[in-house]
PDB file of all heavy atoms in Angstrom:
ATOM      1  N   SER O  25      -3.857 -10.481 -26.031  1.00 78.00           N
ATOM      2  CA  SER O  25      -3.003  -9.827 -25.051  1.00 78.00           C
ATOM      3  C   SER O  25      -2.383  -8.546 -25.608  1.00 78.00           C
ATOM      4  O   SER O  25      -1.638  -7.861 -24.915  1.00 78.00           O
ATOM      5  CB  SER O  25      -1.929 -10.780 -24.542  1.00 78.00           C
ATOM      6  OG  SER O  25      -1.263 -11.377 -25.621  1.00 78.00           O
ATOM      7  N   TYR O  28      -3.010  -5.269 -23.547  1.00 84.00           N
ATOM      8  CA  TYR O  28      -2.223  -5.255 -22.323  1.00 84.00           C
ATOM      9  C   TYR O  28      -0.754  -4.985 -22.642  1.00 84.00           C
ATOM     10  O   TYR O  28      -0.107  -4.161 -21.988  1.00 84.00           O
ATOM     11  CB  TYR O  28      -2.386  -6.599 -21.599  1.00 84.00           C
ATOM     12  CG  TYR O  28      -1.459  -6.776 -20.440  1.00 84.00           C
ATOM     13  CD1 TYR O  28      -1.686  -6.098 -19.246  1.00 84.00           C
ATOM     14  CD2 TYR O  28      -0.346  -7.594 -20.539  1.00 84.00           C
ATOM     15  CE1 TYR O  28      -0.820  -6.242 -18.190  1.00 84.00           C
ATOM     16  CE2 TYR O  28       0.522  -7.739 -19.489  1.00 84.00           C
ATOM     17  CZ  TYR O  28       0.288  -7.065 -18.308  1.00 84.00           C
ATOM     18  OH  TYR O  28       1.147  -7.193 -17.259  1.00 84.00           O
ATOM     19  N   TYR O  51      17.464  18.912 -18.668  1.00 84.00           N
ATOM     20  CA  TYR O  51      16.064  18.833 -19.060  1.00 84.00           C
ATOM     21  C   TYR O  51      15.243  19.750 -18.171  1.00 84.00           C
ATOM     22  O   TYR O  51      15.370  19.726 -16.951  1.00 84.00           O
ATOM     23  CB  TYR O  51      15.575  17.390 -18.889  1.00 84.00           C
ATOM     24  CG  TYR O  51      14.269  17.055 -19.557  1.00 84.00           C
ATOM     25  CD1 TYR O  51      14.229  16.292 -20.714  1.00 84.00           C
ATOM     26  CD2 TYR O  51      13.060  17.486 -19.021  1.00 84.00           C
ATOM     27  CE1 TYR O  51      13.039  15.971 -21.335  1.00 84.00           C
ATOM     28  CE2 TYR O  51      11.855  17.180 -19.642  1.00 84.00           C
ATOM     29  CZ  TYR O  51      11.853  16.410 -20.794  1.00 84.00           C
ATOM     30  OH  TYR O  51      10.669  16.096 -21.392  1.00 84.00           O
ATOM     31  N   ASN O 109      -2.876 -17.984  15.054  1.00 84.00           N
ATOM     32  CA  ASN O 109      -2.820 -19.295  14.422  1.00 84.00           C
ATOM     33  C   ASN O 109      -3.385 -20.405  15.300  1.00 84.00           C
ATOM     34  O   ASN O 109      -3.530 -21.539  14.862  1.00 84.00           O
ATOM     35  CB  ASN O 109      -1.371 -19.614  14.033  1.00 84.00           C
ATOM     36  CG  ASN O 109      -1.289 -20.775  13.067  1.00 84.00           C
ATOM     37  OD1 ASN O 109      -2.228 -21.026  12.315  1.00 84.00           O
ATOM     38  ND2 ASN O 109      -0.186 -21.483  13.095  1.00 84.00           N
ATOM     39  N   THR O 116     -12.058 -14.376  13.027  1.00 83.00           N
ATOM     40  CA  THR O 116     -12.504 -13.438  12.003  1.00 83.00           C
ATOM     41  C   THR O 116     -12.442 -12.010  12.504  1.00 83.00           C
ATOM     42  O   THR O 116     -11.961 -11.119  11.810  1.00 83.00           O
ATOM     43  CB  THR O 116     -13.960 -13.751  11.585  1.00 83.00           C
ATOM     44  OG1 THR O 116     -14.047 -15.152  11.384  1.00 83.00           O
ATOM     45  CG2 THR O 116     -14.322 -13.024  10.322  1.00 83.00           C
ATOM     46  N   ARG O 119      -8.841 -10.866  12.587  1.00 86.00           N
ATOM     47  CA  ARG O 119      -8.346 -10.687  11.224  1.00 86.00           C
ATOM     48  C   ARG O 119      -8.825  -9.351  10.659  1.00 86.00           C
ATOM     49  O   ARG O 119      -8.043  -8.583  10.093  1.00 86.00           O
ATOM     50  CB  ARG O 119      -8.851 -11.817  10.333  1.00 86.00           C
ATOM     51  CG  ARG O 119      -7.799 -12.836   9.945  1.00 86.00           C
ATOM     52  CD  ARG O 119      -8.450 -14.078   9.369  1.00 86.00           C
ATOM     53  NE  ARG O 119      -9.417 -13.755   8.329  1.00 86.00           N
ATOM     54  CZ  ARG O 119      -9.165 -13.889   7.020  1.00 86.00           C
ATOM     55  NH1 ARG O 119      -8.017 -14.336   6.613  1.00 86.00           N
ATOM     56  NH2 ARG O 119     -10.085 -13.590   6.135  1.00 86.00           N
ATOM     57  N   TYR O 122      -7.163  -6.305  12.460  1.00 90.00           N
ATOM     58  CA  TYR O 122      -5.778  -6.055  12.083  1.00 90.00           C
ATOM     59  C   TYR O 122      -5.660  -5.530  10.667  1.00 90.00           C
ATOM     60  O   TYR O 122      -4.677  -4.906  10.305  1.00 90.00           O
ATOM     61  CB  TYR O 122      -4.953  -7.356  12.197  1.00 90.00           C
ATOM     62  CG  TYR O 122      -4.858  -7.880  13.593  1.00 90.00           C
ATOM     63  CD1 TYR O 122      -4.478  -9.179  13.866  1.00 90.00           C
ATOM     64  CD2 TYR O 122      -5.162  -7.046  14.661  1.00 90.00           C
ATOM     65  CE1 TYR O 122      -4.408  -9.648  15.165  1.00 90.00           C
ATOM     66  CE2 TYR O 122      -5.096  -7.509  15.954  1.00 90.00           C
ATOM     67  CZ  TYR O 122      -4.729  -8.801  16.202  1.00 90.00           C
ATOM     68  OH  TYR O 122      -4.657  -9.263  17.484  1.00 90.00           O
ATOM     69  N   TYR O 123      -6.679  -5.811   9.877  1.00 88.00           N
ATOM     70  CA  TYR O 123      -6.595  -5.477   8.474  1.00 88.00           C
ATOM     71  C   TYR O 123      -7.133  -4.103   8.135  1.00 88.00           C
ATOM     72  O   TYR O 123      -6.830  -3.557   7.084  1.00 88.00           O
ATOM     73  CB  TYR O 123      -7.356  -6.550   7.687  1.00 88.00           C
ATOM     74  CG  TYR O 123      -6.640  -6.903   6.436  1.00 88.00           C
ATOM     75  CD1 TYR O 123      -5.353  -7.432   6.505  1.00 88.00           C
ATOM     76  CD2 TYR O 123      -7.187  -6.646   5.198  1.00 88.00           C
ATOM     77  CE1 TYR O 123      -4.657  -7.707   5.367  1.00 88.00           C
ATOM     78  CE2 TYR O 123      -6.490  -6.929   4.053  1.00 88.00           C
ATOM     79  CZ  TYR O 123      -5.233  -7.455   4.147  1.00 88.00           C
ATOM     80  OH  TYR O 123      -4.537  -7.725   3.015  1.00 88.00           O
ATOM     81  N   VAL O 127      -6.402  -1.373   4.688  1.00 91.00           N
ATOM     82  CA  VAL O 127      -7.310  -1.040   3.578  1.00 91.00           C
ATOM     83  C   VAL O 127      -7.749   0.424   3.589  1.00 91.00           C
ATOM     84  O   VAL O 127      -8.401   0.877   2.660  1.00 91.00           O
ATOM     85  CB  VAL O 127      -8.578  -1.937   3.543  1.00 91.00           C
ATOM     86  CG1 VAL O 127      -8.210  -3.379   3.292  1.00 91.00           C
ATOM     87  CG2 VAL O 127      -9.391  -1.802   4.802  1.00 91.00           C
ATOM     88  N   ASN O 144      -1.360  19.363  22.024  1.00 78.00           N
ATOM     89  CA  ASN O 144      -2.257  19.061  23.137  1.00 78.00           C
ATOM     90  C   ASN O 144      -3.212  17.918  22.779  1.00 78.00           C
ATOM     91  O   ASN O 144      -4.396  17.957  23.069  1.00 78.00           O
ATOM     92  CB  ASN O 144      -3.027  20.300  23.588  1.00 78.00           C
ATOM     93  CG  ASN O 144      -3.498  21.125  22.409  1.00 78.00           C
ATOM     94  OD1 ASN O 144      -3.538  20.620  21.284  1.00 78.00           O
ATOM     95  ND2 ASN O 144      -3.859  22.367  22.657  1.00 78.00           N
ATOM     96  N   TRP O 177       2.331   0.420  11.863  1.00 96.00           N
ATOM     97  CA  TRP O 177       0.939   0.199  12.267  1.00 96.00           C
ATOM     98  C   TRP O 177       0.049  -0.027  11.049  1.00 96.00           C
ATOM     99  O   TRP O 177      -0.757  -0.948  11.013  1.00 96.00           O
ATOM    100  CB  TRP O 177       0.457   1.424  13.063  1.00 96.00           C
ATOM    101  CG  TRP O 177      -1.004   1.441  13.361  1.00 96.00           C
ATOM    102  CD1 TRP O 177      -1.649   0.734  14.322  1.00 96.00           C
ATOM    103  CD2 TRP O 177      -2.003   2.216  12.691  1.00 96.00           C
ATOM    104  NE1 TRP O 177      -2.991   1.022  14.296  1.00 96.00           N
ATOM    105  CE2 TRP O 177      -3.234   1.929  13.307  1.00 96.00           C
ATOM    106  CE3 TRP O 177      -1.973   3.136  11.634  1.00 96.00           C
ATOM    107  CZ2 TRP O 177      -4.428   2.515  12.903  1.00 96.00           C
ATOM    108  CZ3 TRP O 177      -3.163   3.720  11.233  1.00 96.00           C
ATOM    109  CH2 TRP O 177      -4.375   3.410  11.868  1.00 96.00           C
ATOM    110  N   PHE O 182      -1.316  -6.623   6.842  1.00 89.00           N
ATOM    111  CA  PHE O 182      -0.933  -7.352   5.648  1.00 89.00           C
ATOM    112  C   PHE O 182       0.162  -8.381   5.959  1.00 89.00           C
ATOM    113  O   PHE O 182       0.101  -9.525   5.522  1.00 89.00           O
ATOM    114  CB  PHE O 182      -0.450  -6.358   4.594  1.00 89.00           C
ATOM    115  CG  PHE O 182       0.129  -6.998   3.381  1.00 89.00           C
ATOM    116  CD1 PHE O 182      -0.692  -7.593   2.439  1.00 89.00           C
ATOM    117  CD2 PHE O 182       1.493  -7.032   3.180  1.00 89.00           C
ATOM    118  CE1 PHE O 182      -0.165  -8.203   1.320  1.00 89.00           C
ATOM    119  CE2 PHE O 182       2.032  -7.644   2.067  1.00 89.00           C
ATOM    120  CZ  PHE O 182       1.206  -8.229   1.137  1.00 89.00           C
ATOM    121  N   GLU O 200       5.825 -32.211  16.227  1.00 85.00           N
ATOM    122  CA  GLU O 200       5.730 -33.486  16.944  1.00 85.00           C
ATOM    123  C   GLU O 200       7.111 -33.964  17.366  1.00 85.00           C
ATOM    124  O   GLU O 200       7.332 -34.360  18.521  1.00 85.00           O
ATOM    125  CB  GLU O 200       5.078 -34.542  16.032  1.00 85.00           C
ATOM    126  CG  GLU O 200       3.568 -34.418  15.908  1.00 85.00           C
ATOM    127  CD  GLU O 200       2.864 -34.741  17.214  1.00 85.00           C
ATOM    128  OE1 GLU O 200       3.434 -35.530  18.003  1.00 85.00           O
ATOM    129  OE2 GLU O 200       1.774 -34.214  17.450  1.00 85.00           O
ATOM    130  N   LEU O 231       9.623  -6.126   1.232  1.00 86.00           N
ATOM    131  CA  LEU O 231       8.508  -5.211   1.032  1.00 86.00           C
ATOM    132  C   LEU O 231       8.672  -3.958   1.879  1.00 86.00           C
ATOM    133  O   LEU O 231       8.324  -2.860   1.463  1.00 86.00           O
ATOM    134  CB  LEU O 231       7.183  -5.911   1.371  1.00 86.00           C
ATOM    135  CG  LEU O 231       6.811  -7.008   0.386  1.00 86.00           C
ATOM    136  CD1 LEU O 231       5.593  -7.775   0.877  1.00 86.00           C
ATOM    137  CD2 LEU O 231       6.546  -6.430  -0.988  1.00 86.00           C
ATOM    138  N   ASN O 238       9.600   4.270  -1.047  1.00 89.00           N
ATOM    139  CA  ASN O 238       8.462   4.964  -1.651  1.00 89.00           C
ATOM    140  C   ASN O 238       7.831   6.023  -0.773  1.00 89.00           C
ATOM    141  O   ASN O 238       6.830   6.623  -1.152  1.00 89.00           O
ATOM    142  CB  ASN O 238       7.382   3.948  -2.027  1.00 89.00           C
ATOM    143  CG  ASN O 238       7.500   3.531  -3.469  1.00 89.00           C
ATOM    144  OD1 ASN O 238       7.614   4.370  -4.348  1.00 89.00           O
ATOM    145  ND2 ASN O 238       7.514   2.239  -3.711  1.00 89.00           N
ATOM    146  N   TYR O 244       4.842  13.925   3.787  1.00 91.00           N
ATOM    147  CA  TYR O 244       4.192  15.102   3.207  1.00 91.00           C
ATOM    148  C   TYR O 244       3.087  15.607   4.127  1.00 91.00           C
ATOM    149  O   TYR O 244       2.938  16.801   4.340  1.00 91.00           O
ATOM    150  CB  TYR O 244       3.618  14.769   1.818  1.00 91.00           C
ATOM    151  CG  TYR O 244       2.996  15.960   1.134  1.00 91.00           C
ATOM    152  CD1 TYR O 244       3.778  16.888   0.471  1.00 91.00           C
ATOM    153  CD2 TYR O 244       1.616  16.163   1.166  1.00 91.00           C
ATOM    154  CE1 TYR O 244       3.215  17.985  -0.149  1.00 91.00           C
ATOM    155  CE2 TYR O 244       1.040  17.260   0.555  1.00 91.00           C
ATOM    156  CZ  TYR O 244       1.847  18.168  -0.103  1.00 91.00           C
ATOM    157  OH  TYR O 244       1.272  19.266  -0.693  1.00 91.00           O
TER     158      TYR O 244
ATOM    159  N   MET R  15     -17.465 -17.513   8.346  1.00 32.00           N
ATOM    160  CA  MET R  15     -16.385 -18.450   8.045  1.00 32.00           C
ATOM    161  C   MET R  15     -16.925 -19.640   7.265  1.00 32.00           C
ATOM    162  O   MET R  15     -16.792 -20.780   7.673  1.00 32.00           O
ATOM    163  CB  MET R  15     -15.757 -18.943   9.350  1.00 32.00           C
ATOM    164  CG  MET R  15     -15.218 -17.865  10.235  1.00 32.00           C
ATOM    165  SD  MET R  15     -13.787 -17.079   9.520  1.00 32.00           S
ATOM    166  CE  MET R  15     -12.523 -18.266   9.964  1.00 32.00           C
ATOM    167  N   ALA R  27      -5.568 -24.387  11.848  1.00 48.00           N
ATOM    168  CA  ALA R  27      -5.301 -23.966  13.213  1.00 48.00           C
ATOM    169  C   ALA R  27      -5.740 -25.041  14.200  1.00 48.00           C
ATOM    170  O   ALA R  27      -5.059 -25.321  15.175  1.00 48.00           O
ATOM    171  CB  ALA R  27      -6.028 -22.667  13.491  1.00 48.00           C
ATOM    172  N   ALA R  33      -2.572 -31.315  17.719  1.00 48.00           N
ATOM    173  CA  ALA R  33      -1.299 -32.001  17.601  1.00 48.00           C
ATOM    174  C   ALA R  33      -0.419 -31.763  18.823  1.00 48.00           C
ATOM    175  O   ALA R  33       0.177 -32.692  19.344  1.00 48.00           O
ATOM    176  CB  ALA R  33      -0.562 -31.550  16.341  1.00 48.00           C
ATOM    177  N   LEU R  48      -3.549 -10.758  21.334  1.00 91.00           N
ATOM    178  CA  LEU R  48      -4.537 -10.468  20.295  1.00 91.00           C
ATOM    179  C   LEU R  48      -5.420  -9.291  20.683  1.00 91.00           C
ATOM    180  O   LEU R  48      -5.719  -8.425  19.862  1.00 91.00           O
ATOM    181  CB  LEU R  48      -5.405 -11.702  20.028  1.00 91.00           C
ATOM    182  CG  LEU R  48      -4.739 -12.865  19.301  1.00 91.00           C
ATOM    183  CD1 LEU R  48      -5.681 -14.050  19.209  1.00 91.00           C
ATOM    184  CD2 LEU R  48      -4.292 -12.451  17.913  1.00 91.00           C
ATOM    185  N   GLY R  54      -4.947  -1.656  19.669  1.00 93.00           N
ATOM    186  CA  GLY R  54      -4.016  -0.760  18.974  1.00 93.00           C
ATOM    187  C   GLY R  54      -4.437  -0.456  17.543  1.00 93.00           C
ATOM    188  O   GLY R  54      -4.258   0.650  17.051  1.00 93.00           O
ATOM    189  N   PHE R  55      -5.009  -1.455  16.880  1.00 94.00           N
ATOM    190  CA  PHE R  55      -5.416  -1.249  15.495  1.00 94.00           C
ATOM    191  C   PHE R  55      -6.704  -0.457  15.387  1.00 94.00           C
ATOM    192  O   PHE R  55      -6.871   0.346  14.487  1.00 94.00           O
ATOM    193  CB  PHE R  55      -5.597  -2.594  14.789  1.00 94.00           C
ATOM    194  CG  PHE R  55      -4.308  -3.239  14.395  1.00 94.00           C
ATOM    195  CD1 PHE R  55      -3.773  -4.269  15.140  1.00 94.00           C
ATOM    196  CD2 PHE R  55      -3.615  -2.783  13.290  1.00 94.00           C
ATOM    197  CE1 PHE R  55      -2.576  -4.853  14.778  1.00 94.00           C
ATOM    198  CE2 PHE R  55      -2.413  -3.355  12.923  1.00 94.00           C
ATOM    199  CZ  PHE R  55      -1.889  -4.394  13.674  1.00 94.00           C
ATOM    200  N   ALA R  73      -9.415  17.215  23.398  1.00 71.00           N
ATOM    201  CA  ALA R  73      -8.282  16.303  23.249  1.00 71.00           C
ATOM    202  C   ALA R  73      -7.857  15.701  24.576  1.00 71.00           C
ATOM    203  O   ALA R  73      -6.902  14.956  24.647  1.00 71.00           O
ATOM    204  CB  ALA R  73      -7.111  17.021  22.595  1.00 71.00           C
ATOM    205  N   TYR R 133       1.298 -18.629 -28.412  1.00 81.00           N
ATOM    206  CA  TYR R 133       1.608 -17.738 -29.536  1.00 81.00           C
ATOM    207  C   TYR R 133       3.006 -17.172 -29.362  1.00 81.00           C
ATOM    208  O   TYR R 133       3.592 -17.244 -28.279  1.00 81.00           O
ATOM    209  CB  TYR R 133       0.581 -16.608 -29.634  1.00 81.00           C
ATOM    210  CG  TYR R 133       0.357 -15.863 -28.335  1.00 81.00           C
ATOM    211  CD1 TYR R 133       1.118 -14.742 -28.016  1.00 81.00           C
ATOM    212  CD2 TYR R 133      -0.621 -16.281 -27.446  1.00 81.00           C
ATOM    213  CE1 TYR R 133       0.910 -14.057 -26.831  1.00 81.00           C
ATOM    214  CE2 TYR R 133      -0.823 -15.606 -26.249  1.00 81.00           C
ATOM    215  CZ  TYR R 133      -0.063 -14.501 -25.954  1.00 81.00           C
ATOM    216  OH  TYR R 133      -0.256 -13.831 -24.786  1.00 81.00           O
ATOM    217  N   MET R 143       6.083  -8.894 -17.755  1.00 81.00           N
ATOM    218  CA  MET R 143       5.085  -8.656 -16.728  1.00 81.00           C
ATOM    219  C   MET R 143       5.684  -8.825 -15.334  1.00 81.00           C
ATOM    220  O   MET R 143       5.413  -8.047 -14.427  1.00 81.00           O
ATOM    221  CB  MET R 143       3.960  -9.656 -16.937  1.00 81.00           C
ATOM    222  CG  MET R 143       2.734  -9.349 -16.192  1.00 81.00           C
ATOM    223  SD  MET R 143       1.474 -10.482 -16.718  1.00 81.00           S
ATOM    224  CE  MET R 143       1.703 -11.729 -15.529  1.00 81.00           C
ATOM    225  N   VAL R 160       5.989  13.831 -17.043  1.00 88.00           N
ATOM    226  CA  VAL R 160       6.391  14.515 -18.280  1.00 88.00           C
ATOM    227  C   VAL R 160       5.451  14.120 -19.414  1.00 88.00           C
ATOM    228  O   VAL R 160       4.933  14.967 -20.149  1.00 88.00           O
ATOM    229  CB  VAL R 160       7.852  14.165 -18.650  1.00 88.00           C
ATOM    230  CG1 VAL R 160       8.191  14.645 -20.052  1.00 88.00           C
ATOM    231  CG2 VAL R 160       8.812  14.759 -17.641  1.00 88.00           C
ATOM    232  N   SER R 183      -0.627  -5.591 -13.432  1.00 83.00           N
ATOM    233  CA  SER R 183      -0.048  -6.916 -13.669  1.00 83.00           C
ATOM    234  C   SER R 183      -0.468  -7.911 -12.600  1.00 83.00           C
ATOM    235  O   SER R 183      -0.563  -9.107 -12.856  1.00 83.00           O
ATOM    236  CB  SER R 183       1.467  -6.814 -13.730  1.00 83.00           C
ATOM    237  OG  SER R 183       1.825  -5.988 -14.810  1.00 83.00           O
ATOM    238  N   ASN R 240      -7.519   4.896  -2.474  1.00 92.00           N
ATOM    239  CA  ASN R 240      -6.629   5.444  -1.456  1.00 92.00           C
ATOM    240  C   ASN R 240      -5.439   6.195  -2.030  1.00 92.00           C
ATOM    241  O   ASN R 240      -4.690   6.825  -1.293  1.00 92.00           O
ATOM    242  CB  ASN R 240      -6.092   4.320  -0.567  1.00 92.00           C
ATOM    243  CG  ASN R 240      -7.198   3.644   0.221  1.00 92.00           C
ATOM    244  OD1 ASN R 240      -8.296   4.172   0.330  1.00 92.00           O
ATOM    245  ND2 ASN R 240      -6.908   2.477   0.752  1.00 92.00           N
ATOM    246  N   PHE R 294     -14.472  -3.979   2.749  1.00 87.00           N
ATOM    247  CA  PHE R 294     -13.587  -5.007   3.259  1.00 87.00           C
ATOM    248  C   PHE R 294     -14.266  -5.862   4.317  1.00 87.00           C
ATOM    249  O   PHE R 294     -14.145  -7.081   4.308  1.00 87.00           O
ATOM    250  CB  PHE R 294     -12.315  -4.381   3.822  1.00 87.00           C
ATOM    251  CG  PHE R 294     -11.526  -5.344   4.636  1.00 87.00           C
ATOM    252  CD1 PHE R 294     -10.930  -6.441   4.036  1.00 87.00           C
ATOM    253  CD2 PHE R 294     -11.425  -5.190   5.997  1.00 87.00           C
ATOM    254  CE1 PHE R 294     -10.235  -7.352   4.781  1.00 87.00           C
ATOM    255  CE2 PHE R 294     -10.729  -6.098   6.758  1.00 87.00           C
ATOM    256  CZ  PHE R 294     -10.137  -7.188   6.146  1.00 87.00           C
ATOM    257  N   GLN R 298     -14.581  -9.700   3.611  1.00 78.00           N
ATOM    258  CA  GLN R 298     -13.267 -10.018   4.154  1.00 78.00           C
ATOM    259  C   GLN R 298     -12.816 -11.439   3.862  1.00 78.00           C
ATOM    260  O   GLN R 298     -11.630 -11.704   3.720  1.00 78.00           O
ATOM    261  CB  GLN R 298     -13.191  -9.711   5.643  1.00 78.00           C
ATOM    262  CG  GLN R 298     -14.182 -10.429   6.530  1.00 78.00           C
ATOM    263  CD  GLN R 298     -13.730 -11.794   6.951  1.00 78.00           C
ATOM    264  OE1 GLN R 298     -12.556 -12.090   6.897  1.00 78.00           O
ATOM    265  NE2 GLN R 298     -14.671 -12.625   7.356  1.00 78.00           N
ATOM    266  N   LEU R 306      -3.108 -12.186  -1.858  1.00 50.00           N
ATOM    267  CA  LEU R 306      -2.349 -10.987  -1.548  1.00 50.00           C
ATOM    268  C   LEU R 306      -0.879 -11.199  -1.838  1.00 50.00           C
ATOM    269  O   LEU R 306      -0.203 -10.338  -2.349  1.00 50.00           O
ATOM    270  CB  LEU R 306      -2.551 -10.604  -0.089  1.00 50.00           C
ATOM    271  CG  LEU R 306      -3.926 -10.056   0.184  1.00 50.00           C
ATOM    272  CD1 LEU R 306      -4.185 -10.012   1.658  1.00 50.00           C
ATOM    273  CD2 LEU R 306      -4.061  -8.685  -0.419  1.00 50.00           C
ATOM    274  N   VAL R 310       1.455  -8.598  -4.617  1.00 43.00           N
ATOM    275  CA  VAL R 310       2.348  -7.610  -4.062  1.00 43.00           C
ATOM    276  C   VAL R 310       3.349  -7.159  -5.096  1.00 43.00           C
ATOM    277  O   VAL R 310       3.918  -7.962  -5.807  1.00 43.00           O
ATOM    278  CB  VAL R 310       3.100  -8.207  -2.866  1.00 43.00           C
ATOM    279  CG1 VAL R 310       4.090  -7.205  -2.342  1.00 43.00           C
ATOM    280  CG2 VAL R 310       2.130  -8.588  -1.798  1.00 43.00           C
TER     281      VAL R 310
END
Side-chain angles (χ1 to χ4, degrees):
Chain O
S25 51
Y28 171 75
Y51 194 106
N109 195 27
T116 314
R119 253 166 50 102
Y122 296 163
Y123 220 61
V127 296
N144 41 18
W177 171 78
F182 173 75
E200 282 292 332
L231 291 173
N238 265 311
Y244 183 81
Chain R
M15 302 292 279
L48 288 175
F55 283 101
Y133 51 90
M143 194 173 92
V160 169
S183 298
N240 296 345
F294 167 67
Q298 59 85 20
L306 288 166
V310 177

